[in-house]
Amino acid sequence: MKTNLKAHQKKPTLKSWLFLTAGVIFTVVLLIIFPDRQPAVIKSSGQIFWEMLWILPAVMLLIGLFAVWVPKEVIVKLMGTASGIRGIGLSLLLGSLPTGPLYVAFPMAAALIKKGARTSNIVIFLSAWACIKIPQEMVELQFLGARFMALRLGLTIIFVIIMGVSIEKIMEAKVTQKGKK
Amino acid sequence: MNLTSIIINILAIGCLFLSFNKDKQKTKKAIKIAVKTFLKILPTILLIVALVGLLIGFVPHAVILKFMGNQSGIVGIFVSALLGAILYIPSIVAFPLAASFLKAGATVTAVATFITTLTMIGFVTLPLEIKELGKRIAVLRNGISFLLAVLIGIIIGAIL
């Protein structure tokens, strides 16, 4: 699994550097052709860069610390047996820990299915992993404000739980249908 | 520098000290992971920085208003949702982009929908999700997420 994940990480990095090079060339050429746009572009780029510079190192540090102190095995172990409201809560909480990109969560979710975890919990866990990450919420707070962030977070949590339970129901219905045949 | 970034930096430094007190080796490893993650995301960060500049400097206000603004209506919401579902941008970097969309005249609904599909749905990672979890769960999760994202966007737009 480890080599597999590494292979997944290496390729996008090279690709994103190529994208960046192309983007920078494109920007520079555009700015040379349209010198009157230079102040607006440089000002807004500089502003965004400055804001990110203040927040991203701290976010990265938190991601690193969580990855070390809350290893994947612990998460799988905690979630494997939980059910009911405790299961939903744990799935949300463990999914929201800042422990890496979504593709890291798929093998974990597959391991959880094998362990007999409930479908609803797995879907909630995956969705929380995808969109309720703690550092992500901090950056959202920084750039979009407290009301926007809190509202989106609250709605997402509610809908993710509903979705998890619904998908479990759909999957169970399919299974019983097959059983009857 | 504002209050949010001050709090996050204090939190990160506090956690770092706690961790360092408990286990130096582990803390070193954590810093290594942090640096690696940062380097991996760096090209995308810089690309977004350039993109935001171009967006503000070159894309006419009217274009953003047309696709994500008040006149765009339902079509605008679906354009934003689709854009978020297809693009593969780390969410941390996506918020500044979303903020500049807002500044450029996009509606709150469009921006909220965009962020939600961007984070919840992975077109690029869908094959991997299918491989690990099976077609049915993966397709259901991504499909329902798309609809929920639109719903979340509409509700946020109605309240804010």
Side-chain angles (χ1 to χ4, degrees):
Chain A
M1 202 172 93
K2 250 188 183 160
T3 49
N4 195 356
L5 285 179
K6 275 217 170 125
H8 263 287
Q9 286 168 351
K10 248 186 185 162
K11 259 194 184 163
T13 314
L14 182 66
K15 230 195 251 169
S16 46
W17 281 109
L18 286 176
F19 268 128
L20 174 65
T21 313
V24 168
I25 292 171
F26 183 68
T27 309
V28 169
V29 169
L30 264 182
L31 286 182
I32 290 170
I33 300 173
F34 301 98
D36 57 313
R37 305 291 171 90
Q38 279 175 13
V41 173
I42 291 168
K43 194 188 158 218
S44 40
S45 280
Q47 212 175 353
I48 287 281
F49 182 71
W50 184 243
E51 275 186 63
M52 292 215 249
L53 199 66
W54 273 111
I55 198 166
L56 287 181
V59 170
M60 296 303 150
L61 200 57
L62 286 173
I63 290 175
L65 287 171
F66 268 99
V68 169
W69 288 103
V70 189
K72 283 183 267 183
E73 295 73 27
V74 174
I75 294 176
V76 174
K77 201 177 146 201
L78 274 173
M79 257 192 64
T81 49
S83 66
I85 291 182
R86 187 169 166 268
I88 291 175
L90 260 181
S91 311
L92 276 174
L93 193 74
L94 294 174
S96 68
L97 294 178
T99 25
L102 189 57
Y103 57 74
V104 177
F106 295 139
M108 288 173 70
L112 283 169
I113 292 179
K114 279 193 199 116
K115 282 205 163 188
R118 296 183 58 159
T119 309
S120 56
N121 288 348
I122 289 166
V123 172
I124 293 169
F125 171 72
L126 269 182
S127 304
W129 190 295
C131 62
I132 321 181
K133 286 252 161 275
I134 292 168
Q136 182 185 311
E137 297 305 325
M138 293 173 177
V139 183
E140 183 166 1
L141 182 67
Q142 161 101 343
F143 282 96
L144 293 166
R147 285 185 70 196
F148 187 98
M149 178 275 229
L151 199 57
R152 212 178 65 82
L153 178 64
L155 287 170
T156 308
I157 289 174
I158 294 168
F159 282 137
V160 158
I161 293 172
I162 295 173
M163 175 168 72
V165 174
S166 318
I167 289 182
E168 183 173 286
K169 288 263 151 60
I170 295 170
M171 300 290 287
E172 275 171 0
K174 291 268 180 195
V175 170
T176 44
Q177 250 181 13
K178 266 186 191 163
K180 273 178 192 167
K181 273 176 195 169
Chain B
M1 196 173 180
N2 62 14
L3 192 64
T4 313
S5 53
I6 293 173
I7 292 171
I8 292 169
N9 278 290
I10 290 174
L11 183 72
I13 292 167
C15 287
L16 185 69
F17 269 112
L18 262 178
S19 170
F20 194 75
N21 253 336
K22 263 194 140 175
D23 192 328
K24 279 180 191 169
Q25 231 35 49
K26 269 190 174 178
T27 310
K28 265 186 197 163
K29 213 178 140 200
I31 293 173
K32 245 188 200 166
I33 293 174
V35 171
K36 255 192 192 164
T37 314
F38 187 66
L39 286 180
K40 215 171 71 190
I41 209 176
L42 187 65
T44 318
I45 294 172
L46 296 175
L47 188 63
I48 295 286
V49 166
L51 215 68
V52 166
L54 291 181
L55 182 78
I56 303 290
F58 283 94
V59 179
H61 205 58
V63 172
I64 293 178
L65 282 181
K66 193 180 164 201
F67 286 106
M68 294 174 95
N70 272 325
Q71 303 110 303
S72 62
I74 275 286
V75 179
I77 297 173
F78 274 96
V79 167
S80 318
L82 214 60
L83 202 66
I86 294 168
L87 286 181
Y88 187 63
I89 310 172
S91 50
I92 288 173
V93 192
F95 292 114
L97 184 67
S100 54
F101 274 141
L102 260 186
K103 251 190 233 162
T107 60
V108 175
T109 301
V111 169
T113 308
F114 169 72
I115 293 177
T116 310
T117 52
L118 189 70
T119 48
M120 260 185 164
I121 299 170
F123 241 59
V124 180
T125 49
L126 190 61
L128 190 70
E129 189 170 351
I130 290 174
K131 199 182 121 207
E132 295 280 2
L133 301 174
K135 209 174 194 172
R136 198 170 289 150
I137 291 187
V139 170
L140 273 175
R141 196 189 73 80
N142 283 282
I144 296 176
S145 293
F146 189 87
L147 297 177
L148 289 184
V150 171
L151 209 58
I152 288 174
I154 292 173
I155 297 174
I156 291 181
I159 294 177
L160 290 183

